[in-house]
C-alpha cells in the first residue's frame, strides 16, 4: 500500500504511474495520453506542469531537460509502497 501525503493530488498519482509505465514525457504529452485513457483523467497542460514541478521539487520526479520529466528512484519507491511521501515537506 502506498504511503500517501496530504499534499499529493490525484493528478500526482496519475503522473507518477504514467511516467513509471511509459518513460519520460513533457506535461503536454502526459495530458494527451491520459485523456486518451479516460475522461476522468483530463487535466490542463498548465496544471500538469505545475504538479510535475511540485513532484520534482520533492524528489519524486526529475526535469531531464526541455520540460521533460522522468520518475526518480524515490518516485518508484513511493509507487511500490516503500517510501512514505508524508516524510516530505508539502510546502
Amino acid at each position: 500500500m502506498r504511503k500517501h501525503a496530504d499534499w499529493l493530488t490525484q493528478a500526482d498519482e496519475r503522473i507518477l504511474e504514467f511516467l513509471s509505465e511509459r518513460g519520460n514525457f513533457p506535461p503536454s504529452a502526459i495530458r494527451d495520453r491520459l485523456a486518451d485513457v479516460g475522461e476522468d483523467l483530463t487535466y490542463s497542460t498548465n496544471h500538469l506542469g505545475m504538479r510535475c514541478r511540485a513532484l520534482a521539487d520533492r524528489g519524486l520526479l526529475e526535469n531531464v531537460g526541455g520540460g521533460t520529466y522522468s520518475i526518480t528512484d524515490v518516485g518508484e519507491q513511493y509507487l511500490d509502497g516503500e517510501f512514505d511521501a508524508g516524510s516530505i515537506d508539502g510546502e
Side-chain angles (χ1 to χ4, degrees):
M1 180 185 296
R2 292 181 185 159
K3 298 168 185 159
H4 195 72
D6 290 341
W7 56 265
L8 275 168
T9 69
Q10 180 185 22
D12 296 343
E13 297 270 346
R14 300 302 80 81
I15 292 166
L16 290 166
E17 290 166 351
F18 178 84
L19 293 176
S20 176
E21 293 171 6
R22 301 200 181 176
N24 305 344
F25 287 92
S28 59
I30 296 170
R31 179 207 62 217
D32 293 345
R33 286 166 178 85
L34 286 179
D36 289 344
V37 172
E39 289 182 22
D40 62 329
L41 300 176
T42 303
Y43 303 100
S44 72
T45 300
N46 287 338
H47 181 70
L48 291 175
M50 179 182 71
R51 296 315 306 162
C52 284
R53 287 186 295 279
L55 290 167
D57 288 346
R58 292 174 177 92
L60 299 171
L61 293 182
E62 177 183 7
N63 185 333
V64 295
T68 297
Y69 289 87
S70 175
I71 191 166
T72 63
D73 290 341
V74 173
E76 291 286 359
Q77 290 169 2
Y78 166 72
L79 289 178
D80 292 340
E82 299 169 358
F83 179 79
D84 182 358
S87 68
I88 301 172
D89 185 13
E91 296 297 319

